[in-house]
Structure formats: C-alpha cells, structure tokens
Amino acid sequence: MSSTYIILALITSGVVTFAIRLFPFLVLRNQTNLSSRMQFISAVLPQAIITILVVYCLKDISFINAPFGIPELIAVVIVVLLQWWKENTLLSIFVPTVIYMVLLQVM
C-alpha cells in the first residue's frame, strides 16, 4: 500500500466519523422538546455503552493462568475509585491505563 492510499483512508475515516457524530446535532438542533423515547435513550445509552465496553474488555481474562486477571481487576478497581472520588473522566481513563500497562510489564 502506498502512503497516499493510507493518508486518503485516514482522511476518509476521519471525515465519516465526524459526519456521523455531527448528524444528530444537525437533525435535532431546532427541537426544544425531545420525545419520551429520545429522553429514555439519552438517559440509558451512556450506561449501556460503558457496560458493553467493560464486558468486552474483560471477556478474555483467564483466572486459571498467571497473572490470574490481577492487573485487569486492579485497573477496574482503580477506575471505580477514581471516578467515585474525583469524578474526572480523563483521570479515570489515563491513570488506570498507565497502572495496567506497568502491571502487565511487571507481572
């Protein structure tokens, strides 16, 4: 693959991602009241997405083989504690990620 092809693929995926994220704002920009269905979706969807991501990330943990899922469990506990304590999403993402990577190298 040529570098031109890779650059065009990256630009295309970036534009499509931006357009997909912009679409709801363009469609709903003039609506002051959302339907009850949309209100329900906006209330439930973030928690559902996070739950799916957690399950996906933890689905392949092996509790039989070393390190027995210890780095993953420590990282999850740190995420929960940091989010409960500081309520800072970036902090809750970056600190446990660094700790998890260090634990993977050490264990």
Side-chain angles (χ1 to χ4, degrees):
M1 290 198 308
S2 69
S3 59
T4 305
Y5 179 81
I6 293 172
I7 291 171
L8 288 175
L10 288 172
I11 290 171
T12 303
S13 64
V15 168
V16 169
T17 301
F18 182 76
I20 289 171
R21 292 177 184 243
L22 183 65
F23 180 73
F25 294 102
L26 293 176
V27 171
L28 300 173
R29 69 176 174 224
N30 294 329
Q31 290 187 346
T32 55
N33 295 338
L34 293 176
S35 68
S36 60
R37 180 176 290 159
M38 289 297 288
Q39 288 176 349
F40 174 75
I41 290 173
S42 68
V44 174
L45 196 58
Q47 291 87 354
I49 291 171
I50 294 298
T51 302
I52 290 169
L53 286 173
V54 168
V55 169
Y56 178 77
C57 289
L58 300 178
K59 70 178 173 54
D60 293 327
I61 295 176
S62 174
F63 295 104
I64 298 170
N65 302 326
F68 308 106
I70 293 171
E72 291 87 352
L73 295 176
I74 290 172
V76 168
V77 169
I78 292 171
V79 167
V80 170
L81 291 175
L82 275 175
Q83 189 60 32
W84 175 72
W85 178 43
K86 290 291 187 178
E87 296 181 12
N88 185 332
T89 305
L90 291 177
L91 191 68
S92 296
I93 291 171
F94 289 118
V95 171
T97 301
V98 170
I99 292 172
Y100 174 69
M101 291 299 156
V102 169
L103 288 173
L104 282 182
Q105 297 302 317
V106 172
M107 296 183 128

